[in-house]
Structure formats: C-alpha cells, structure tokens
Amino acid sequence: MQRYFIQLSYKGTDFHGWQIQPNGVSVQQVLDETLTQRLSRPIYVTGSGRTDAGVHASQQFAHFDTDGDLPETDMLVYSLNNMLPDGIAIHDIFPVAPTTHARFSATARYYQYHIRRQKSPFLASLSYIFRPELDVPLMNGAASKLLEHSNFRSFSKVRTNVNHYHCRIMRAEWEQRADELVFHIKADRFLYGMVRCLVGTLLDVGQHRLTVEEFVAIIRAEDRTAASRAVPASGLFLTEVSYPEGLLKGSSKSNV
C-alpha cells in the first residue's frame, strides 16, 4: 500500500464541516466519493483536522492509502478538480512515507478570523460583519495572555471527546488592515469550537465589557459558561498546517 497526501482548499459555506456525518454533505464525503469514482477503487481520506460547518480552509491536508499506481499528477489533479464542486480545489497529490499521518504528524495549525464593519456582496460568507467600535490594542493585550497558559477548557464546546484541554499557543494577535480586522492564532492543536469562542470573548474585551484581568480569569476558570458566545463560522479560515521539515518532500508545492 502506498500513502498519498492531498493538499487542498475549500469554501466551507456549502458543507457541514470536514467530517462525514449523517445530516449533511461534508468535505470528506465529497473527496471520498470523487476519488473513488476517478480511481475506480474505494478511497477514504483522513484530514489534518476537522473544521466545523461553514468554516473555510485555504490550506488543508489529507491522506489516503491505495495499492494501485496513480495517473500522472497534473492530469489527475486537473480531472479531479473538474469533478469536484466549485467549493473544493485540490492543489497537489504526492506520495509520502507509510507512517506519515495528515493529523498526527502535523506540528501546528494556523487559523485566521476575518471581521469587517461594512457588508460586501462578494465576501458575505467569508467574513463576520461586526459594527461596534473596538479597542484593538486592548484586545491584543488580552490575546498575548493566551501564550502564558495551556488549559483552554473555557473555550471548548462542552460535548467534546478529548483526553485533555491543553494546547500550546505560539501566536495570538489582531491585525488591523485597511478594510478588515484579522485575528491570527497558531497552536499545536485546537479544541472543538475554540477559535470562535476565543474571538467572541476577545470582542467583549474590545468593547470594554471585559478587562484583560477578567479575560485571564476566564482562562483560569476552565469553565465554558465563563466565556462569551462563539462568533459565526463564516469568518474563520484554516490557513496553514505545519509538518516537520522534509516530511512532505514529495510535494511539488514550494510552500509545503
């Protein structure tokens, strides 16, 4: 059996998240069905992580195993993209070692959350329209505290099957751009619903509803009811998945 990695991106608006589920069409389901049809053999993909319904990915990885040779890569990618819906695009397919795992070999995930004050007909499903004025320096002061802690149970959805709530956050900051506000966060792992809940709580800091000290107290509470509401999925993007250097050497993409 040969293991292959897929590098892809998708607009999550029309999908019920990454993972296969009984109540809606998922990205994983569409990939499985399309690859199975194209390669004329059962194919099941495993992703680097599970994005929620409506969440986008500008970079996502998945792997699959197969015992047959694949067609030439460029033509395979081209034909698969013609078969896939507009909301999913494959960028590369390449062989990896049998032990390389899309999820467990990853060392970090990087997300962005996009906020705009004005509605755009072209970006309605790709950002969160939020009108109130925000104190961005204060929000950055609170975001910096995330790097000092490791237990983020307060920002995890309650019904989640995990062994622990510890994450190592490497970056957490807000960037004011000309027409949008972007939250950048990178960590070795994320809890279910964590980024959207963090953003919602930081927005309360930005509106002076919470102080930085109160934000830290929420972290330490390890209680989801202490944090604020989660923001909509529309503004959230999985932007980058990191792997150890050289692990994905079979890729033709220079940024992997």
Side-chain angles (χ1 to χ4, degrees):
M1 296 288 282
Q2 173 65 56
R3 176 160 293 183
Y4 291 90
F5 257 46
I6 305 173
Q7 183 182 350
L8 68 149
S9 57
Y10 50 85
K11 182 181 179 183
T13 307
D14 297 329
F15 302 101
H16 283 68
W18 166 266
Q19 187 178 15
I20 290 176
Q21 51 190 293
N23 63 340
V25 178
S26 70
V27 177
Q28 184 182 34
Q29 175 188 334
V30 173
L31 282 175
D32 283 355
E33 292 174 351
T34 304
L35 283 162
T36 294
Q37 180 182 351
R38 176 63 181 82
L39 299 177
S40 302
R41 70 196 77 150
I43 300 292
Y44 306 98
V45 301
T46 298
S48 71
R50 302 171 182 175
T51 52
D52 290 347
V55 175
H56 320 291
S58 50
Q59 184 185 75
Q60 170 71 293
F61 285 96
H63 76 250
F64 67 92
D65 298 322
T66 183
D67 58 1
D69 293 332
L70 297 187
E72 194 273 328
T73 299
D74 287 345
M75 289 305 299
L76 176 60
V77 169
Y78 177 79
S79 63
L80 287 169
N81 280 330
N82 282 333
M83 297 169 68
L84 287 165
D86 290 342
I88 304 176
I90 291 176
H91 305 291
D92 199 9
I93 299 177
F94 54 95
V96 295
T99 56
T100 302
H101 196 283
R103 179 182 175 190
F104 298 124
S105 298
T107 57
R109 286 90 175 166
Y110 165 37
Y111 282 87
Q112 292 181 359
Y113 194 88
H114 294 252
I115 294 175
R116 294 176 180 271
R117 298 198 69 216
Q118 300 291 339
K119 179 181 177 180
S120 166
F122 308 106
L123 301 169
S125 60
L126 301 176
S127 57
Y128 176 35
I129 306 303
F130 191 77
R131 292 281 300 165
E133 294 286 348
L134 294 168
D135 187 336
V136 177
L138 190 66
M139 293 162 68
N140 269 326
S144 68
K145 300 297 182 182
L146 295 171
L147 279 66
E148 301 173 9
H149 295 81
S150 63
N151 190 314
F152 296 101
R153 186 170 187 171
S154 290
F155 305 101
S156 172
K157 288 188 178 180
V158 176
R159 294 181 179 87
T160 180
N161 184 24
V162 295
N163 295 323
H164 64 87
Y165 296 89
H166 291 272
C167 310
R168 182 171 65 90
I169 295 181
M170 309 159 191
R171 180 186 182 187
E173 62 179 324
W174 291 89
E175 177 192 7
Q176 181 69 67
R177 297 178 179 174
D179 56 353
E180 66 177 349
L181 182 64
V182 182
F183 181 56
H184 304 267
I185 185 164
K186 184 176 183 178
D188 61 345
R189 66 190 289 263
F190 286 92
L191 304 170
Y192 188 31
M194 177 177 164
V195 179
R196 291 166 59 195
C197 185
L198 272 173
V199 170
T201 309
L202 287 167
L203 288 179
D204 278 348
V205 173
Q207 296 173 85
H208 295 167
R209 294 178 177 176
L210 292 172
T211 65
V212 173
E213 292 73 21
E214 288 170 332
F215 179 75
V216 172
I218 290 171
I219 300 174
R220 291 173 174 164
E222 299 180 17
D223 179 3
R224 175 62 185 91
T225 63
S228 304
R229 69 178 181 89
V231 290
S234 56
L236 185 57
F237 288 75
L238 173 59
T239 306
E240 182 181 287
V241 184
S242 300
Y243 293 91
E245 185 176 358
L247 198 71
L248 306 184
K249 59 184 179 181
S251 172
S252 63
K253 305 299 180 183
S254 60
N255 64 333
V256 174

